[in-house]
Structures are given as C-alpha cells and as structure tokens.
C-alpha cells in the first residue's frame, strides 16, 4: 500500500577517515545458542525493509542524487547505531534474510558504476573516500554491520572498460554485481529487441569479467519497465538468455518483506538517500528511517532464526501463502 501511495512521486525521484582494511572480515558463523523467543525481541518479519539508493559520492553535491562522503558516512553510522545489518538485493529477492535476533536488514544499492563509488588505490585496496572504502571503514568500527552492498553497473563500471579489475575484486569480497543495462537505456522507450539486447550486453560484460558471479537482479534505469514488463527479468538476445529474480525501482518507499503478501519481485521500491529537505523530503532516506524507527511504519525485525517467519499474531493476514509452514506467531 505504501508503494501505491507514492507512485505519483516516482517520476520526480527517478534517475539513476582512516584507510580501510584490504578485505572485510567474514561474517561470524551463526551462534549455536538458540535465539530468544520472538516476542522478547519484538520480531516482525513481515515489516518493511529500507532499500537505499545511491549514485555519486562527491565532495560537492550538485544534484539530489549526490551525497558527500561525510553525508554517506553519517548515514551508515546511523544505520549501524540503529541495529541495521546490510544484506544484498539478491538475498532480499530470495528471502535469504539471516541477521541476528532484534536486528533489521537494510539493502545498500549503488547505480551507474560511478568512479566515486569504488576505486582501487595503488596498494590494491579501495580508496578511503570511495563509497566502498567508507563502508568498509564503518564496518570495521561496527563489527555487526556487514560490509556488503549491491552495485548496479553499466558498460564501463567505475570508469574501467569491461570492469576486469574492479568487478572481480567486488565479487571476491562479497559484494553483489547487478545489471543496469549496458547503455543506461530507458526501457519504456525501447523496442523489445533493444531491451533484450541491452540487458544481454550488460550481462555478457559482467560474465566476461567475473564468470563465476551469479547475476540475478536488475535496477531499472529511471525506474522504467519495458512495454512488455516480463522482458525486464526474462529474455534472450544473440543466443544468450537471462532469467532474473528481481527488478529494482527508484522512488519512494521501503520494500515489503519478501515473506509478505505485498512483496512483488518485479517491482521492489527503493529510497533515495537524502537529507529530509526539499520538495520530495517525505520520500527520502532521512524521513523514512525516522518513520521506521518511530514505529509509524512497520519495520522488519529479525527473530534470529532463518527457518521461521515470526510476527505478532495480529499481522497474520500479511503473511504470504507460501510461508505458512514457517510461520511463528506470538
């Protein structure tokens, strides 16, 4: 319902410290100790999940899609302080949400493959002022805050034709690489053949750089579906097929839980990272994080047990029919 309420605003929102460690620490293995009762941590695994959308991280912001390094770091610090744990877009789409009891998943997504998002220095480590460098630095200071994100790239990711160095590094260090079309094409204005060709060209580039990478999600440029919406996820060109699990929109809302009746993998809403100022202030990250923290909007809170979907009994009607056997009401 939140997504429907914000459709009118989506057009205006469309668009696409110290040196960090060489690699993020691997997530700690699950504890053998049983998680606490769901009610004890206020578990609500039918609540909403913020999928945050970033573009450039630059010293001087010139558009609403820019964030300064200080802004970006502050938002990550806020997320860590409020017990959010990053997961990938692929994890969200697949319902693979394994975060500690009482924690909240968040998805960090980056569009366009801008050089300010990720660059490797002469020492082979991410530059400290890049988005990934800052993310690793914040994660090192907050061990429960996983340094993972999803990066949606075009033909020359991070200013490197073919992404032959950058994409393998990201994949090797636990980041998801997703599609954003080769030419940042407005799919709503493209023919069916152009849609499929541009997606396949994008996929081919990623596979050539990282053959072992599983590419399962796409961020739609400008949040626009092709005329035949199914072509965003399923199609073929030049003998290569693609079969994706989810498409990311731009725009205005937190995403429904993948276990809820409201979850639509072809239309996963995202929230533009921005301070709560300007004409679209009611739709940006600072506002939504406030609303989720206050309880005004239901927030996904984990029960710490990936085998169950826990929620207050009053929320039972929001449970997706496929998850009845995993339900744990309280």
């Amino acid at each position: 319902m939140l997504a429907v309420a914000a459709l009118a605003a989506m057009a205006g929102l469309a668009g696409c410290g110290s040196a960090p460690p060489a690699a993020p620490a691997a997530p700690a293995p699950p504890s053998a100790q049983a998680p606490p009762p769901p009610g004890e941590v206020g578990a609500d695994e039918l609540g909403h999940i913020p999928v945050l959308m970033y573009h450039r991280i630059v010293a001087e912001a010139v558009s609403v899609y820019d964030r300064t390094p200080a802004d970006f770091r502050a938002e990550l610090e806020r997320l860590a302080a409020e017990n959010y744990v990053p997961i990938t877009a692929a994890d969200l789409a697949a319902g693979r949400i394994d975060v500690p009891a009482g924690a909240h998943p968040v998805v960090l997504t980056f569009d366009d493959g801008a050089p300010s998002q990720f660059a490797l220095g002469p020492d082979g480590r991410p530059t400290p002022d890049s988005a990934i460098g800052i993310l690793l630095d914040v994660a090192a200071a907050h061990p429960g805050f996983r340094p993972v994100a999803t990066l949606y790239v075009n033909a020359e990711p991070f200013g490197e034709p073919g992404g032959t160095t950058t994409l393998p590094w990201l994949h090797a260090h636990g980041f998801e690489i997703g599609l954003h079309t080769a030419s940042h094409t407005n799919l709503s204005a493209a023919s069916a053949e152009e849609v499929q060709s541009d997606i396949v060209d994008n996929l081919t580039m990623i596979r050539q750089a990282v053959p072992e990478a599983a590419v399962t999600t796409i961020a739609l440029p400008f949040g626009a579906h092709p005329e035949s919406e199914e072509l965003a996820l399923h199609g073929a060109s030049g003998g290569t097929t693609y079969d994706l699990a989810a498409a990311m929109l731009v725009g205005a809302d937190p995403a429904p839980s993948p276990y809820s009746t409201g979850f639509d993998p072809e239309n996963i809403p995202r929230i533009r990272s921005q301070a709560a100022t300007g004409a679209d202030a009611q739709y940006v990250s600072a506002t939504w994080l406030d609303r989720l923290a206050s309880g005004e909007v239901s927030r996904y809170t984990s029960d710490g047990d990936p085998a169950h979907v826990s929620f207050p009994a009053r929320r039972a009607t929001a449970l997706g029919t496929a998850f009845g056997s995993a339900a744990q009401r309280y």
Side-chain angles (χ1 to χ4, degrees), residues 7-165:
L7 282 176
M10 286 188 177
L13 292 171
C16 274
S18 58
S31 171
Q33 184 177 359
E40 188 175 308
V41 295
D44 184 359
E45 297 186 322
L46 299 180
H48 291 83
I49 299 171
V51 181
L52 301 182
M53 180 182 71
Y54 301 94
H55 288 76
R56 300 194 311 159
I57 307 299
V58 292
E60 292 189 21
V62 297
S63 84
V64 293
Y65 298 106
D66 296 341
R67 298 238 72 183
T68 67
D71 290 338
F72 179 62
R73 182 182 293 273
E75 186 155 84
L76 295 184
E77 292 281 1
R78 174 181 181 170
L79 292 170
E82 294 183 5
N83 205 18
Y84 281 97
V85 177
I87 64 173
T88 66
D91 289 337
L92 173 65
R96 292 190 302 263
I97 302 180
D98 186 2
V99 302
H104 320 290
V106 61
V107 184
L108 309 176
T109 68
F110 297 84
D111 287 9
D112 303 343
S116 62
Q117 295 171 6
F118 178 55
L120 292 171
D123 59 359
R125 301 192 298 177
T127 55
D129 58 348
S130 68
I132 299 305
I134 295 168
L135 172 57
L136 294 177
D137 198 36
V138 171
H142 303 277
F145 192 72
R146 297 175 187 162
V148 300
T150 300
L151 295 99
Y152 290 110
V153 300
N154 304 119
E156 296 189 1
F158 318 110
E160 180 193 23
T164 55
T165 301

Side-chain angles (χ1 to χ4, degrees), residues 294-323:
S294 71
E296 178 186 349
V297 176
S298 64
R299 177 169 61 176
Y300 187 113
T301 300
S302 174
D303 65 2
D305 179 4
H308 290 99
V309 178
S310 297
F311 51 90
R314 58 183 169 75
R315 303 262 286 139
T317 56
L319 180 70
T321 57
F323 303 101

Side-chain angles (χ1 to χ4, degrees), residues 106-306:
V106 61
V107 184
L108 309 176
T109 68
F110 297 84
D111 287 9
D112 303 343
S116 62
Q117 295 171 6
F118 178 55
L120 292 171
D123 59 359
R125 301 192 298 177
T127 55
D129 58 348
S130 68
I132 299 305
I134 295 168
L135 172 57
L136 294 177
D137 198 36
V138 171
H142 303 277
F145 192 72
R146 297 175 187 162
V148 300
T150 300
L151 295 99
Y152 290 110
V153 300
N154 304 119
E156 296 189 1
F158 318 110
E160 180 193 23
T164 55
T165 301
T166 51
L167 297 186
W169 192 99
L170 289 167
H171 177 70
H173 292 84
F175 293 89
E176 178 190 0
I177 302 165
L179 299 168
H180 201 41
T181 77
S183 304
H184 203 275
T185 300
N186 184 335
L187 299 180
S188 67
S191 69
E193 292 75 16
E194 290 169 334
V195 168
Q196 294 171 92
S197 175
D198 213 29
I199 292 174
V200 164
D201 286 350
N202 195 195
L203 177 60
T204 299
M205 180 273 295
I206 296 172
R207 285 179 172 171
Q208 287 175 344
V210 197
E212 65 274 23
V215 181
T216 63
T217 67
I218 184 171
L220 302 173
F222 312 104
H225 275 285
E227 183 176 356
S228 298
E229 288 198 7
E230 67 274 10
L231 292 181
L233 298 184
H234 312 289
S237 179
T240 298
T241 62
Y242 58 93
D243 189 22
L244 307 176
M248 304 287 150
L249 304 176
V250 295
D253 299 6
S257 163
Y259 313 128
S260 74
T261 56
F263 186 69
D264 177 2
E266 293 188 14
N267 294 277
I268 297 179
R270 295 187 291 169
I271 303 167
R272 188 175 71 213
S273 176
Q274 185 181 320
T277 57
D280 298 319
Q282 69 268 42
Y283 300 114
V284 301
S285 59
T287 299
W288 276 115
L289 291 175
D290 285 347
R291 296 181 69 188
L292 290 163
S294 71
E296 178 186 349
V297 176
S298 64
R299 177 169 61 176
Y300 187 113
T301 300
S302 174
D303 65 2
D305 179 4

